[in-house]
Amino acid sequence: MNQPRAPKEGSGLEVRAAAARGLVPVLTDKGSLASLDEHSVIARDRSLLKELCYGTCRRLPRLEALAGQLLKQPFKKRDSDVQALLLIGIYQLLYMRIPAHAAVGETAGAARLLGKDWATRVLNGCLRRLQREAAALEATVDRDAHVALEHPAWLLKTLRQAWPDQWQAIAEANNQPGPMTLRVNQRHQDRETYLSLLTETGLSGQLCVHAPDGITLEQPCDVSTLPGFERGLVSVQDEAAQLSAALLGPALAPRPGARVLDACCAPGGKTAHLLEQFDITLTAIDSDNQRLGRVDDSLSRLGLTADLQHADATQRDWWNATPYDAILLDAPCSGTGVIRRHPDIKKLRRPDDIGKLATLQRQLLDNLWAMLRPGGTLLYATCSVLPEENAEQVEAFLARTPDAIVTTPDDVAWGMPSGQGRQLFPEASSHDGFFYARLEKRAA
């Protein structure tokens, strides 16, 4: 077998080979883009690496359909890296402003760096055929709606059944990269002042419509270029995610020192926002110790303090039996509201995952409700657009929990009523998809 060749530093072959390696875990259902090593290429190639990997996953259903048209027979499983190169090549030709000769030649040539010289001829032939026959091949695969809308068939069907008037807009929004939104730390300054700082730095943005601490940038940037980022002036957080602090405000603002639990807290954006906004005593737990480390890092940068615990929110062995005044349950979910930020969901999520997640959400709700004091507030949140995880989950909880009272506001300008909660859909230049339901425990 040929051994992988050492590339010239910073070559177009190298970044494409790195992208293929990064996609293999996704294509083989063994990992996600979260494990993508951006430092596997030199600094100037890192943005291209991310674009190749994330863009390919974003368009994956259509790219796979086109690959099926181009290949006489599928690659063997052991050649999933070559399959990844083909998908990357198709993506470049159809969706990127890379010269065609580079998209074809450097993608095919990257097979040599993977130790598979034989594949260069196959890749070259497939990609050159796509150049010649793109219109006809695209018309053929786009006869299937799920291919044209670049979603798995099961997911598109589920969206269509759940949201007959919105499903197509949801799918189209999922196919566009989400904007970069900031959360200004009001402990330091208001967002108008920070927006002026951005302008002085040469960055452009606009105030979020719904999140009072939010600014959406016109173009994403590296956080190192944000004024005062390391000093805790600002964080990166989607507008929809920022709404949790506003929804808990009525319960926390009048109660200095309130005991608050942030269950399933990682990566910590909502944890930090609550501490920025309110004078509270906060416990934040998560079952993933590695992700809990990210919460600690974020709080340290912001100069905030919480009691962080590696714990399972479906259990009570970590709880000291003192009730909480408020609980934020940002429940594990399908992530169908944030596909645009995590496009590998299109490949990794399965239909039977939804029922399993709904069962876990039910266990979390029932277990955490017992930890809430009478008169306390629980905010249920997901980054999902599926009713089984959202409105239906809350309806079932209310049916079996007689001391639960719905306090979800109906006078807000964001989202739409969905059962006893409010549903936000992903919007191209605005917020992600999210669901919120606010519940109060009836006083004894």
Side-chain angles (χ1 to χ4, degrees), residues 52-106:
L52 291 173
C53 290
Y54 279 77
T56 296
C57 285
R58 188 169 285 117
R59 308 292 181 180
L60 191 58
R62 194 164 188 258
L63 301 182
E64 288 183 325
L66 286 165
Q69 294 289 313
L70 294 168
L71 289 168
K72 293 181 179 178
Q73 59 185 20
F75 292 115
K76 293 180 172 62
K77 287 185 178 180
R78 66 173 178 266
D79 296 319
S80 56
D81 50 356
V82 181
Q83 170 77 0
L85 279 177
L86 178 56
L87 299 173
I88 289 166
I90 299 171
Y91 177 69
Q92 292 170 82
L93 286 174
L94 298 184
Y95 295 101
M96 294 185 72
R97 295 180 179 177
I98 289 177
H101 67 86
V104 174
E106 297 191 349

Side-chain angles (χ1 to χ4, degrees), residues 248-266:
L248 282 170
L252 300 181
R255 298 182 65 88
R259 283 175 45 82
V260 180
L261 172 67
D262 184 357
C264 313
C265 66

Side-chain angles (χ1 to χ4, degrees), residues 221-415:
C221 67
D222 189 282
V223 294
S224 63
T225 66
L226 295 172
F229 180 81
E230 291 301 328
R231 293 186 288 117
L233 300 190
V234 69
S235 300
V236 178
Q237 187 180 37
D238 179 72
E239 181 178 15
Q242 293 185 39
L243 298 174
S244 59
L247 286 166
L248 282 170
L252 300 181
R255 298 182 65 88
R259 283 175 45 82
V260 180
L261 172 67
D262 184 357
C264 313
C265 66
K270 298 179 186 66
T271 311
H273 197 192
L274 290 174
L275 290 168
E276 289 171 0
Q277 288 283 309
F278 306 109
D279 176 17
I280 55 177
T281 301
L282 190 144
T283 298
I285 69 171
D286 202 274
S287 60
D288 187 328
N289 204 29
Q290 185 172 359
R291 297 186 77 221
L292 198 63
R294 292 176 58 191
V295 182
D296 191 25
D297 291 342
S298 179
L299 295 183
S300 295
R301 179 180 64 82
L302 294 163
L304 301 170
T305 303
D307 176 21
L308 300 185
Q309 296 189 36
H310 179 211
D312 182 350
T314 66
Q315 305 298 317
R316 301 184 193 175
D317 52 359
W318 52 271
W319 182 44
N320 66 5
T322 304
Y324 292 100
D325 298 301
I327 297 174
L328 169 60
L329 171 55
D330 187 7
C333 69
S334 63
T336 45
V338 292
I339 287 176
R340 62 186 187 173
R341 300 191 190 278
H342 305 282
D344 47 355
I345 287 173
K346 292 183 178 182
K347 181 68 170 66
L348 300 176
R349 187 63 68 208
R350 296 287 184 271
D352 60 358
D353 291 341
I354 310 306
K356 295 174 184 177
L357 287 163
T359 297
L360 174 59
Q361 292 153 5
R362 175 185 177 124
Q363 293 171 343
L364 289 165
L365 276 166
D366 288 345
N367 189 57
L368 294 171
W369 190 253
M371 303 179 189
L372 186 67
R373 69 166 177 83
T377 294
L378 184 147
L379 182 64
Y380 177 76
T382 76
C383 54
S384 169
V385 296
L386 302 184
E388 186 174 353
E389 301 179 274
N390 296 339
E392 293 173 14
Q393 182 71 258
V394 173
E395 290 287 357
F397 176 75
L398 292 170
R400 65 179 182 270
T401 313
D403 59 347
I405 306 168
V406 178
T407 62
T408 308
D410 57 11
D411 59 348
V412 292
W414 50 264

Side-chain angles (χ1 to χ4, degrees), residues 51 143 160 169 173 303 362 395 406 424:
E51 174 61 21
R143 290 171 188 162
R160 191 168 192 167
R362 175 185 177 124
E395 290 287 357
V406 178
L424 299 102

